[in-house]
Amino acid sequence: MIRMEKIRKIYSTGKVDVEALRGVNLHIKKGDFVTVIGPSGSGKSTLMNIMGCLDKPTTGDYILNGTNIKNLNDNQLSELRNHEIGFVFQNFNLLPYASAYENVEMPLLFAGVGGKKRKQKVEAILNKVGLSDRMDHRPNELSGGQKQRVAIARALVNDPNIILADEPTGNLDSHSGREIMELFVNLWQEGHTIVMITHDPRAKEYTDNFVNITDGKILREELVA
Amino acid sequence: MIIKNIIQILRELSKQKMRTMLTLFGIFWGTTSVILLLSFGIATKSSVSKTMHGMGEQICIIWAGKTSISYGGFPKGRQLSWYNDDAHYLKDNVPLIDDISPQYDRWLPVNVGAKKQNFSVNAVWPDFKEMRNMIPRQGSRFISSLDQEKRRRVVFIGNEVEKTMFGEGVDAVGRLMYIDGIPFTVVGVIIEKEQDGSYNGRDKDAIFMPTSTYLAIYGDRYVNNMVARAKDITKTEQMKKAIIAAMAKKYRFSPEDEQALPIWDTTEMDQFLGTFFNGFTIFLGIVGVMTLIVGGIGIANIMYVIVEERTSEIGVKRAIGAKKRLILFQYIVETFVIASIGTTSGFLFALLMIFAINKAPLDDFVGTLELNPFIAVTSIFIISMITFIAGWGPAKRASELDPVVAING
Ligand SMILES: Nc1ncnc2c1ncn2[C@@H]1O[C@H](COP(=O)(O)OP(=O)(O)OP(=O)(O)O)[C@@H](O)[C@H]1O
Ligand SMILES: [Mg+2]
């Protein structure tokens, strides 16, 4: 499903060039639950953003479902982000003026999903993440865990093939963190493909499929084909 | 799809109350101040222009002078005088003349009842009215050709004369007035007018009667001066030359003699005023442009800040699948809605202010404010454009960034 070959990412900020990824090769199969670990600044988020088509690699090839990302134009990339990928951010990135319902609805609007079907899907997914009684709340009226559930619902609403999460529990207390982890595990068990960055040691309880990044390189690939 | 998008955009706008209100207010205020300021400017300009034209428009006042060149056997320094029939003579011999009137002038005692005072009493032809802006008050009239023909003892009087002789608030039309002991009927009173230029007193302090009546009583041989106007203002210069030539021929002075026939050409003043007003208009234009720039900078600033602030939101939307063109479409709709509401309310408020100011007793200071539709439309257009352009750059840039770059600002 995901294939990365010799991915390099160089950030040029003024005088200094930072090489955040130094030739990453990676395979992820459909149905995998992959955890990305590594010290701070090692390039985990950089890798994740490239995987989510939120950023482009400087060099190297990223093949998603058999398509090389390089060959896609901006509209096609937007559609890919909309249909294929569900991205969950560490700091939620919800639109502050929109309710939980409206935040979740947004990808469907971009996809042009019609009114009735849209309503059904949004309500079903919010129900699934346990927020059916918080639909009209704005992000500032929700707890961190609830916000992350909204963000997960938003990532899931368009039935993506792959869910990418960058430290989804990083801003949560341990209780909400556990709940969110369990939510991901459930999604995985339902057959979703999940890639998650985490510092959370409990991740080991759920998966032993780790990608360990240090200094822009994958150290060892455990159970990654 | 598009309608759904627009509804969604409007919903988002209404949810971002603070931002929306701020932008709206900026545009509202920009529009109001530009329109009001320019209306004040134009009011000032037109009230000045009205005063300047109180004496009359594009006329020539002709006097008799002394020759300064010896000519045709006469030595220089000869005092000239114009006779009663010279106005007829000029009218017959100078086709460029449209209107002409002789003017006689005496300082005479006037009494109404016990009230007695001296006034400047003038005798003129009916043509005088148009040339010198002698506008009769409603329900009254100037001296007519019939008055002239029948040597009627009628007078047209200045509004100050009326006030002095008949008292405040009394309508003198139809009443008698004794001039030099002879009874005259008042047929007209001049409307109140602002008058900056004059050559023998203000019209509001003067009395006018037909020349025929005047000559029957006093039998003057010479006119005090004549007033003439060309058929076409651009021909004023030629008309002056033709008048001088005709009179030089009749009275035998050199047509080159500048002092024999002094003429006050108010078109010269008009030309000066024209230049002055052009200057004033340019000044107003600059003031308007400055106001627009200041208002525009304010609006641009707000728009810029808002769109910058929105960059990360645009990034989030892009991250979940919004296409570039949707982001830009949203921006256009939003700006259109905000700019229309802002400029419309600003325009209406300016209108209200103009109405209120005109109602208030301030017109001595500011004149009557008028809304110039061209200026209003132009200001609204420019303000809308500024609003649009100020936000367009950052919005477009944000839509073109990689989503993660936009999200992180
Ligand atoms: N936009 C950027 N511009 C310049 N340098 C960047 C940028 N983003 C990341 N970097 C640099 O690239 C390297 C990798 O950053 P990245 O965010 O991928 O690390 P990370 O593994 O996610 O760290 P953390 O665990 O703290 O989130 C770091 O050295 C970082 O400073
Ligand atoms: Mg990170």
Side-chain angles (χ1 to χ4, degrees), chain A residues 49 53-56 74-75 78-79 81-82 89 93 95-98 102 105-107 109-110 112-114 118 138 154, chain B residues 1 4-5 8 11-12 15-17 19 313 316-326 330 399 402-405 407:
Chain A
N49 292 335
C53 300
L54 305 182
D55 208 352
K56 291 190 194 86
D74 192 80
N75 276 345
S78 297
E79 277 168 22
R81 287 192 290 262
N82 190 245
F89 300 88
N93 276 334
L95 297 180
Y97 51 82
E102 287 160 342
E105 184 186 31
M106 210 156 281
L109 284 170
F110 298 152
V113 176
R118 200 167 69 224
R138 298 224 194 151
R154 182 178 66 183
Chain B
M1 182 64 193
K4 212 160 59 191
N5 277 329
Q8 165 68 10
R11 223 164 54 185
E12 281 189 37
K15 282 173 179 291
Q16 302 165 62
K17 289 196 186 67
R19 275 180 196 168
E313 283 172 27
V316 171
K317 284 185 177 164
R318 294 267 293 146
I320 58 176
K323 290 178 187 165
K324 238 185 249 180
R325 59 164 184 260
L326 183 82
Q330 165 158 19
S399 79
D402 284 323
V404 70
V405 180
I407 289 173

Side-chain angles (χ1 to χ4, degrees), chain A residues 44-45 90 166-167:
Chain A
K44 302 184 296 295
S45 296
Q90 176 172 355
D166 188 347
E167 292 191 57

Side-chain angles (χ1 to χ4, degrees), chain A residues 1-20:
Chain A
M1 164 161 273
I2 285 181
R3 239 178 59 186
M4 287 186 155
E5 260 148 39
K6 296 192 195 121
I7 295 281
R8 288 156 62 87
K9 177 72 183 180
I10 298 166
Y11 291 111
S12 317
T13 44
K15 290 164 197 154
V16 210
D17 282 0
V18 179
E19 193 167 3

